[in-house]
Amino acid sequence: MSQIKTATILITGGASGIGKLMGELCLQEGAKRLLIWDIDRKKTEELAVELLAKGFEVHTYHVDVSNLDEIVMAANDIKQKFGGIDLLFNNAGVIAGNKQFHQHTHKDIDFT
């Protein structure tokens, strides 16, 4: 955990699930700031309000990690504002588990 103390941490897919839990744990362990990238703008904003109310430094970005332009824009913003990051948790992903495998379209599988 010594790498986490005072670190600037970026978590992709950080608004819910494992990403949210990792972010909260990093802040509790003394991370300097948490940067959250997520495709779900509403969940990202709700989490930011929750963590800011606890006194943590949190910055959110609406980023679809399957869109290179969005990644570049967010990364450039982070580099300009914070000088970069110390740790990346590349957690973003899509789960398409609500159907049997044979029911998935090629588009479902490609997106996952």
Side-chain angles (χ1 to χ4, degrees):
M1 291 294 186
S2 63
Q3 291 180 329
I4 290 174
K5 292 191 185 308
T6 72
T8 296
I9 297 174
L10 168 60
I11 301 180
T12 67
S16 62
I18 292 171
K20 178 181 176 182
L21 292 173
M22 285 190 301
E24 291 171 336
L25 288 172
C26 288
L27 290 168
Q28 291 169 8
E29 290 296 322
K32 180 177 183 178
R33 71 178 55 95
L34 177 63
L35 310 173
I36 300 169
W37 286 8
D38 205 285
I39 195 170
D40 189 326
R41 188 182 313 268
K42 184 174 186 257
K43 283 185 182 177
T44 305
E45 291 170 357
E46 290 170 354
L47 178 59
V49 168
E50 176 186 330
L51 295 175
L52 288 167
K54 294 179 181 179
F56 295 119
E57 183 179 345
V58 179
H59 303 270
T60 62
Y61 295 81
H62 178 254
V63 178
D64 176 351
V65 296
S66 70
N67 183 319
L68 183 57
D69 291 335
E70 290 184 20
I71 293 169
V72 170
M73 282 180 37
N76 285 337
D77 186 69
I78 288 169
K79 186 174 183 182
Q80 180 183 14
K81 287 180 180 173
F82 309 112
I85 62 169
D86 299 303
L87 292 171
L88 165 66
F89 292 92
N90 199 13
N91 174 69
V94 178
I95 299 173
N98 58 348
K99 302 181 218 176
Q100 295 291 320
F101 181 77
H102 70 279
Q103 295 172 316
H104 289 278
T105 66
H106 290 283
K107 185 178 178 181
D108 292 338
I109 294 168
D110 284 344
F111 186 60
T112 301

